[in-house]
Amino acid sequence: MKEYVITVKETSTPAILKFEANQFLTTNVNYEFKNIDEAKNSPLAQQLFYLPFVKTVYISGNFIALERFDIVSWEDVQSEVAQQLVEYLNSGAPVVLEEAPASKVAITLYAEVTPNPAVMKFVANKKLVPATFEFKNIDEAKDSELAKALFHFPFVKEVFMDENYISVTKYEVADWNDITMELREMIREHISEGKEIVSAKAENTEKKHSSGKEAIVHSDDETSQQIIQILEEYVKPAVAMDGGNILFQSYDEELKTVNVILQGACSGCPSSTFTLKNGIETMLKNMMGDKVNEVVAING
């Protein structure tokens, strides 16, 4: 192992003296410690603060700079300090207990078009969230670091998350050809760095929309229970493939009308009306008989 050699160099500030080493001391840019409490992660700085004249310790790259109190002059103590530094460094003791960078998570993320031209679906090779989450603005995204970060792009209108994908709705001002790569890389980097996607406080869509009186389904309401089962088993997997979600909201027994909420790519999609009438409504009529006359998306 190469031995450390210290060279003393003056600075433009008389109270600060630089002790330059012949090899690097840290991997980060710089550290500044104004007292021994601040130096808890630097055994070397802590030791230097036992010298009564040391006011501030700077550690950066290949040098240590010390600022002194006026009780001494550098001419009287610099040799002693340089020798102490050489002995410390050559002992192999740590300079700074630097935190190891968090290892990145291997993640594959690809962009997938949806039937809704305003929505792009970003699909990951791993589970991202435990349930569905919908954020229509940055205020609603307060419990999701990733959604908040996405809303900092001026062209992002809404964010929807479900298991292994994230659907992003854009404003018309932007073109997917111009922004898809940027969004994909931002999402991929966020996930690979292990940053939070949604916090434990985040309210999933099931909870949000079951808080209203209409959405409460009683155990003795067999028709609503049947409709929910059909939606869960036959409809949800299909709309999830397109980057969206469907939620049962209510059933009007008198009008025989099923009210649902469309989310993600399904919300505001030009083809959603066709899907609703010719797909979901037809299916429920066939499976439920005369109990269903119409399916309506209450959010349009």
Side-chain angles (χ1 to χ4, degrees):
M1 180 180 170
K2 186 178 178 181
E3 286 197 352
Y4 282 91
V5 176
I6 293 293
T7 303
V8 180
K9 293 189 176 181
E10 294 182 354
T11 70
S12 57
T13 305
I16 297 177
L17 199 63
K18 190 175 177 182
F19 297 85
E20 194 171 283
N22 61 335
Q23 49 190 304
F24 283 101
L25 306 174
T26 68
T27 56
N28 289 338
V29 179
N30 57 66
Y31 298 89
E32 178 181 348
F33 307 107
K34 293 188 175 296
N35 54 61
I36 198 168
D37 287 337
E38 289 186 4
K40 61 185 177 183
N41 291 329
S42 174
L44 173 56
Q46 285 186 323
Q47 182 170 309
L48 288 167
F49 277 116
Y50 282 103
L51 300 172
F53 54 82
V54 171
K55 182 178 181 181
T56 309
V57 177
Y58 305 92
I59 301 176
S60 178
N62 69 329
F63 71 84
I64 298 158
L66 300 180
E67 182 181 8
R68 62 171 173 80
F69 286 107
D70 292 336
I71 56 172
V72 297
S73 63
W74 279 123
E75 289 80 4
D76 296 333
V77 296
Q78 66 184 39
S79 296
E80 177 189 343
V81 173
Q83 183 60 34
Q84 183 174 330
L85 288 173
V86 167
E87 291 175 0
Y88 183 92
L89 294 172
N90 285 324
S91 73
V95 176
V96 178
L97 301 174
E98 295 177 319
E99 292 184 5
S103 57
K104 289 193 174 184
V105 178
I107 182 78
T108 300
L109 192 79
Y110 66 90
E112 187 178 280
V113 295
T114 73
N116 188 341
V119 178
M120 186 68 73
K121 181 181 176 184
F122 297 90
V123 186
N125 62 335
K126 58 172 285 184
K127 187 171 182 177
L128 304 176
V129 291
T132 56
F133 297 87
E134 183 180 41
F135 309 100
K136 291 188 174 292
N137 53 60
I138 198 167
D139 287 337
E140 289 188 4
K142 65 182 186 299
D143 295 320
S144 170
E145 273 191 35
L146 178 53
K148 278 193 294 186
L150 285 167
F151 277 114
H152 280 93
F153 291 104
F155 47 77
V156 171
K157 184 179 180 181
E158 295 177 16
V159 178
F160 177 79
M161 302 177 182
D162 187 8
E163 292 216 340
N164 71 325
Y165 72 85
I166 295 162
S167 291
V168 176
T169 305
K170 70 173 180 66
Y171 286 103
E172 290 183 6
V173 67
D175 188 286
W176 284 122
N177 291 326
D178 300 326
I179 64 176
T180 299
M181 287 293 291
E182 184 179 11
L183 283 174
R184 188 189 72 82
E185 185 57 27
M186 178 266 168
I187 295 170
R188 190 196 65 76
E189 191 70 15
H190 186 102
I191 298 168
S192 69
E193 289 180 356
K195 293 180 180 177
E196 179 190 80
I197 299 176
V198 292
S199 74
K201 296 187 294 182
E203 195 172 47
N204 67 54
T205 54
E206 300 286 348
K207 288 181 180 178
K208 274 186 180 180
H209 295 288
S210 65
S211 59
K213 185 177 179 181
E214 283 186 313
I216 297 174
V217 181
H218 299 288
S219 58
D220 59 351
D221 185 353
E222 291 185 10
T223 303
S224 292
Q225 296 287 357
Q226 282 181 283
I227 293 169
I228 291 171
Q229 186 175 350
I230 292 169
L231 293 177
E232 289 287 334
E233 188 173 350
Y234 296 100
V235 182
K236 275 197 175 187
V239 297
M241 291 283 289
D242 291 333
N245 188 39
I246 185 169
L247 293 175
F248 172 84
Q249 181 67 6
S250 63
Y251 171 69
D252 189 315
E253 188 175 3
E254 185 177 340
L255 298 175
K256 299 179 180 179
T257 298
V258 179
N259 295 309
V260 297
I261 296 172
L262 298 178
Q263 298 176 313
C266 296
S267 179
C269 177
S271 62
S272 62
T273 302
F274 178 84
T275 302
L276 200 69
K277 296 298 178 184
N278 294 278
I280 302 168
E281 186 174 281
T282 300
M283 180 185 293
L284 286 173
K285 282 180 178 179
N286 290 337
M287 299 180 80
M288 300 290 296
D290 60 1
K291 292 181 179 179
V292 174
N293 281 338
E294 186 181 19
V295 177
V296 177
I298 64 172
N299 60 333

